[in-house]
Amino acid sequence: MTDDSTRSDEHDPGLDRQSDAPAEATRRDPRERIKADARRMRDDAKRVGRETGRNLGQFDYRRPRGPVKADLEDTHGHYPHDTHPILVPGIAIDEQRRKYSLDKIIFAIAGGLTVAFVIWGITSPSSVASVAQTAYDWATLNVGWLFNLVAIIILVSLLILAFSPYGKIPLGKDGEKAEFSTFAWVAMLFAAGIGIGVLFFGPSEPLTYFISPPPLTNDPETTEALHGSMAQTYFHWGFHAWAMYALVGGAIAYAAYRRGRSLLLSSIFQTLFGKRQTEGFAGKVVDIFAIVATLFGTAAALGIAAMQIGTGVSIVAGAGPMTNNMLVVIILVLTLGFIISAVSGVSRGIRYLSSINIVLTVGIVALVLFLGPTLYLLNLLPSAFMEYLGSMFDMMGRSLSWGAETQEFQSLWTVYYWAWWISWSPFVGTFIARISRGRSIRQFILGTIFIPSTLLFVAYGIMGGTSIWMYRSGASGFTDSMEAPEVFFTLIDNLPYVEWLPFVVIIVLAIFFITSADSASVVMGMLTSRGDQEPKKWVVVFWGLVMSGIAVVMLLLGDASALEGLQQLVIVTAVPFALVMLFIIVAWFKELRTDPLALRRQYALNAVDNAVVAGADAFGDDFALQVVPTDPGDGANGGIDSEHGDYTDWYQRTDENGEPVGFDYETGEWADGWTPDEDSTAEADAASATDADAAATTDADSGTASASESDPDSVTDSETDAGSDRREDHS
């Protein structure tokens, strides 16, 4: 530097510049004054940065406070409860004030149509068979492509959602911990994948594809057909199936535990249809479609269980070939068991039996692994999985364009399965929604799709690989024309040391029938009771009886060992709900765009981008960020209209009658003084009154049972165990 001050310093190094500071300042170059100002600004920036960091560390959901509050009151007055939408932590379903009652319109329409169908099917099965065949032929020919498209779109959409920024949004309030530990959650997903299908389709479906491969694929009974049969089975029971459950379950969980709505399918569509239509005509149509789909999908599973039980009884008792009359008797007996479970105090015991059932099923699969061709199966499992991954896109592309034979195969198998999973999605989706509260969307989607699928790949690989190995080895009883219900019991008959196993299998299947009917009936009771998680017992029993009646009609449409009747009605009744599934994708994505966490992220990106550009332009590298007011439209919102109803309507709190009422999101206090204890007291009083009436008309033992049910602790226990009601099988 060559200015005067520098030369003065060089001339007299001992000069005390502190004493001559005023004179020195007058001789400074303007550039040095700029540098001094920059140093001061840098120090200020560091201070501001430290303060900002402390403020961010203390960030919560309180309304803005401080000296600028008076200037912002007019703006905040436009938000419900004086709370900006990005500051809402979410609303849980149990924080809402809501009255539950029977929806008479939904119950009358759905119940009336299905009861009429059961009466028609029992009194004139031939005419039902004719109509069902015509509808089935039309549906598989004209809308088979729709089921394939729905399955593909759902899987791809959910994977995109999981890995997008929306995947971080919780299925609950901000900071809410997962209701169940990761181990318990995985175990329950594991349980959801175990069911009737493992014992029925596990051994029979791969063997069918091995003997008669899908058209234009492999030659029958070859090594290629072996691996192709396993891949085709995995395709039907794997990622696509569980993606359908994840879609419905995730959307329900988000609506209930993040937005505070009822556990109804229609609740998913509030952003898409509007609140008025969701609670009106459109919402009722969605819930009716869900009930009909669930009825026929679950009835098909019950019919399969009855067929398998009937085959086992015929073999064990030596009763001869199974007939339709035998199946009807079996269904009636099991339905009686379901009614006893639903109306008495043994339902909790049944749920414990269901948990034991899962262990028994895993044990049966393990027995087959260790008593069967163990080394062969250990080699087959990874090979079959890789074949599935390698041929997945080829199987996804099969359609009518491949010819009439492929279209027939698709109708009998792939389209049927897609329709079946769509029918089951309200039931299974509700179960996995209730066990996944507090999980992020990413955890939920990836866990739901991949955990149960992996289990099924192992179970079906063991069961199917063993049946194919026995068939190729010429084991006793295996033929190329055996019926599906016979395969599993024939497989058991060729294993050593397990002569007792058929009796266990019959018990396992019977418990699956009862628990599936019980849990599915509760879900349909919820759908007809405006989302009440504990619907009235008579409603639950009604839907269970209708479901069993539909299962009887399905079996009467074919012979005692055929699946045609089941397949026809499942596909036909699933067509409307397939369209609903596509609307669920649109509705969920649309709603996630207005989520508080998504808004915060958008505000943060806008604020940081604007600040970085302005800071670099003014100060180069040396700048920090500070929150300051801006002119309207120039701030972090980036043009977002935060006062729009899409962002604000959902968190306006209401009372039991739907009237707006004040609420403080900081303290959780209601303006009218309401507390959750009031609802608990009212429910307990109502329960006590009901129990007193029941006690007056029953014996002393019944009165004692009713009194114990009115205890608040027992109510809490029932709520805690409600999720396990639906801890059911995948099929």
Side-chain angles (χ1 to χ4, degrees):
M1 202 170 197
T2 59
D3 60 12
D4 293 339
S5 64
T6 303
R7 289 195 295 270
S8 175
D9 290 348
E10 291 172 353
H11 177 70
D12 188 1
L15 182 64
D16 184 0
R17 285 187 295 274
Q18 288 288 7
S19 63
D20 296 334
E24 187 73 20
T26 61
R27 296 194 299 270
R28 284 181 177 170
D29 187 280
R31 289 176 295 176
E32 188 154 332
R33 290 199 299 271
I34 293 174
K35 290 182 178 180
D37 292 339
R39 282 193 294 271
R40 286 195 300 272
M41 293 181 67
R42 183 167 58 249
D43 293 339
D44 290 341
K46 290 180 179 178
R47 176 179 56 79
V48 171
R50 288 192 295 270
E51 292 176 355
T52 303
R54 286 194 295 270
N55 292 336
L56 288 175
Q58 299 168 354
F59 180 74
D60 60 14
Y61 298 102
R62 292 176 291 186
R63 294 183 293 278
R65 301 183 186 278
V68 299
K69 182 176 181 181
D71 298 331
L72 300 177
E73 282 181 348
D74 290 341
T75 302
H76 282 254
H78 296 292
Y79 300 124
H81 313 295
D82 198 25
T83 303
H84 193 283
I86 70 171
L87 303 180
V88 180
I91 306 172
I93 183 175
D94 47 17
E95 296 177 348
Q96 296 282 57
R97 298 163 62 172
R98 182 177 287 111
K99 285 183 178 179
Y100 295 109
S101 60
L102 184 69
D103 191 315
K104 296 179 181 179
I105 295 177
I106 292 178
F107 183 79
I109 295 175
L113 290 175
T114 50
V115 168
F117 172 82
V118 171
I119 295 173
W120 179 30
I122 292 176
T123 57
S124 182
S126 59
S127 63
V128 173
S130 176
V131 173
Q133 183 66 51
T134 301
Y136 168 79
D137 292 340
W138 180 89
T140 53
L141 180 64
N142 293 282
V143 297
W145 61 270
L146 174 63
F147 289 104
N148 289 329
L149 191 64
V150 167
I152 295 170
I153 289 176
I154 290 175
L155 179 61
V156 173
S157 298
L158 289 191
L159 292 178
I160 292 173
L161 175 59
F163 291 106
S164 73
Y166 294 139
K168 297 181 180 179
I169 296 174
L171 299 175
K173 298 173 64 176
D174 291 339
E176 183 176 0
K177 293 183 178 180
E179 186 173 5
F180 297 98
S181 68
T182 300
F183 178 81
W185 183 63
V186 169
M188 285 186 282
L189 287 177
F190 185 94
I194 287 290
I196 296 169
V198 172
L199 304 182
F200 186 92
F201 290 102
S204 64
E205 186 175 342
L207 180 60
T208 300
Y209 300 148
F210 176 72
I211 296 173
S212 180
L216 306 178
T217 55
N218 303 302
D219 292 329
E221 302 183 22
T222 60
T223 301
E224 292 79 9
L226 165 66
H227 295 91
S229 66
M230 299 308 304
Q232 189 72 46
T233 303
Y234 288 177
F235 179 59
H236 291 155
W237 293 82
F239 301 149
H240 291 76
W242 286 94
M244 296 182 191
Y245 299 155
L247 172 64
V248 176
I252 291 175
Y254 179 82
Y257 303 128
R258 183 73 172 170
R259 300 279 185 156
R261 301 184 196 129
S262 300
L263 283 166
L264 295 172
L265 266 295
S266 56
S267 296
I268 301 170
F269 296 95
Q270 184 161 312
T271 301
L272 188 63
F273 294 162
K275 185 174 182 179
R276 181 179 177 183
Q277 283 297 324
T278 301
E279 296 177 352
F281 175 77
K284 295 184 188 302
V285 169
V286 169
D287 288 333
I288 290 172
F289 282 166
I291 291 170
V292 172
T294 302
L295 274 172
F296 282 85
T298 310
L302 300 185
I304 288 172
M307 292 168 61
Q308 191 80 324
I309 292 171
T311 300
V313 170
S314 297
I315 294 174
V316 171
M322 182 175 53
T323 65
N324 276 336
N325 291 335
M326 290 175 57
L327 289 180
V328 171
V329 171
I330 290 172
I331 290 177
L332 291 177
V333 171
L334 294 176
T335 301
L336 180 62
F338 150 72
I339 294 173
I340 294 174
S341 167
V343 303
S344 70
V346 303
S347 58
R348 185 171 300 175
I350 292 294
R351 288 196 292 273
Y352 291 146
L353 285 178
S354 178
S355 299
I356 296 172
N357 228 22
I358 294 164
V359 176
L360 290 175
T361 305
V362 174
I364 291 171
V365 174
L367 279 176
V368 174
L369 172 63
F370 292 112
L371 297 180
T374 306
L375 183 61
Y376 170 83
L377 294 175
L378 293 177
N379 281 278
L380 175 63
L381 289 176
S383 299
F385 179 69
M386 295 309 297
E387 180 69 19
Y388 164 59
L389 295 181
S391 59
M392 182 187 298
F393 288 97
D394 177 62
M395 291 184 287
M396 288 166 60
R398 300 277 172 169
S399 67
L400 177 61
S401 63
W402 285 72
E405 290 185 351
T406 299
Q407 190 268 336
E408 182 180 2
F409 175 85
Q410 292 287 106
S411 301
L412 290 174
W413 293 102
T414 305
V415 172
Y416 163 62
Y417 275 122
W418 297 161
W420 201 11
W421 308 149
I422 288 171
S423 299
W424 266 71
S425 60
F427 171 26
V428 180
T430 300
F431 162 64
I432 60 178
R434 295 182 68 174
I435 67 172
S436 302
R437 181 173 180 175
R439 300 279 164 190
S440 71
I441 289 177
R442 181 172 300 151
Q443 286 178 318
F444 175 83
I445 290 175
L446 298 181
T448 302
I449 291 177
F450 294 112
I451 291 174
S453 297
T454 302
L455 162 70
L456 287 170
F457 294 155
V458 174
Y460 278 63
I462 292 172
M463 304 298 284
T466 301
S467 65
I468 292 174
W469 182 84
M470 289 182 175
Y471 173 81
R472 296 176 76 178
S473 303
S476 174
F478 278 91
T479 67
D480 59 3
S481 59
M482 60 194 310
E483 300 292 349
E486 300 174 6
V487 178
F488 176 68
F489 287 101
T490 305
L491 183 153
I492 292 175
D493 194 47
N494 283 276
L495 294 176
Y497 317 120
V498 290
E499 295 80 5
W500 47 269
L501 193 55
F503 298 96
V504 176
V505 171
I506 292 173
I507 295 173
V508 167
L509 292 169
I511 295 175
F512 270 133
F513 183 106
I514 294 172
T515 53
S516 295
D518 182 74
S519 301
S521 298
V522 170
V523 171
M524 287 180 287
M526 290 167 54
L527 292 173
T528 50
S529 302
R530 307 183 195 275
D532 187 357
Q533 298 184 57
E534 295 183 356
K536 292 180 174 59
K537 290 181 179 179
W538 71 266
V539 176
V540 174
V541 171
F542 171 80
W543 289 120
L545 292 173
V546 172
M547 198 182 333
S548 297
I550 292 174
V552 170
V553 173
M554 284 179 162
L555 294 172
L556 292 177
L557 298 186
D559 60 47
S561 59
L563 296 174
E564 284 85 353
L566 303 175
Q567 292 171 323
Q568 290 172 359
L569 292 176
V570 166
I571 291 175
V572 171
T573 56
V575 172
F577 204 72
L579 298 174
V580 172
M581 298 283 277
L582 295 178
F583 280 109
I584 291 176
I585 298 175
V586 177
W588 197 14
F589 272 75
K590 187 175 188 294
E591 189 153 55
L592 290 174
R593 294 177 58 193
T594 63
D595 185 87
L597 193 62
L599 280 179
R600 275 175 239 152
R601 181 177 182 276
Q602 189 60 52
Y603 272 55
L605 291 175
N606 292 338
V608 172
D609 285 349
N610 294 339
V612 167
V613 171
D617 182 55
F619 309 114
D621 293 337
D622 303 319
F623 67 91
L625 307 184
Q626 183 178 14
V627 178
V628 296
T630 68
D631 293 330
D634 294 336
N637 68 336
I640 296 174
D641 182 7
S642 62
E643 298 175 12
H644 192 278
D646 286 350
Y647 299 106
T648 59
D649 287 350
W650 70 275
Y651 64 89
Q652 170 63 62
R653 309 304 286 271
T654 61
D655 62 15
E656 296 83 351
N657 300 314
E659 297 297 327
V661 62
F663 181 80
D664 191 322
Y665 276 97
E666 180 182 354
T667 63
E669 295 178 355
W670 295 81
D672 59 0
W674 180 89
T675 62
D677 294 337
E678 293 182 18
D679 265 4
S680 301
T681 303
E683 289 174 4
D685 291 343
S688 298
T690 302
D691 293 335
D693 292 340
T697 57
T698 56
D699 57 24
D701 290 338
S702 299
T704 303
S706 298
S708 67
E709 289 176 3
S710 69
D711 186 274
D713 291 337
S714 68
V715 173
T716 302
D717 290 341
S718 67
E719 291 173 351
T720 301
D721 290 337
S724 62
D725 282 354
R726 276 150 298 283
R727 192 175 301 175
E728 296 306 327
D729 53 293
H730 173 61
S731 63

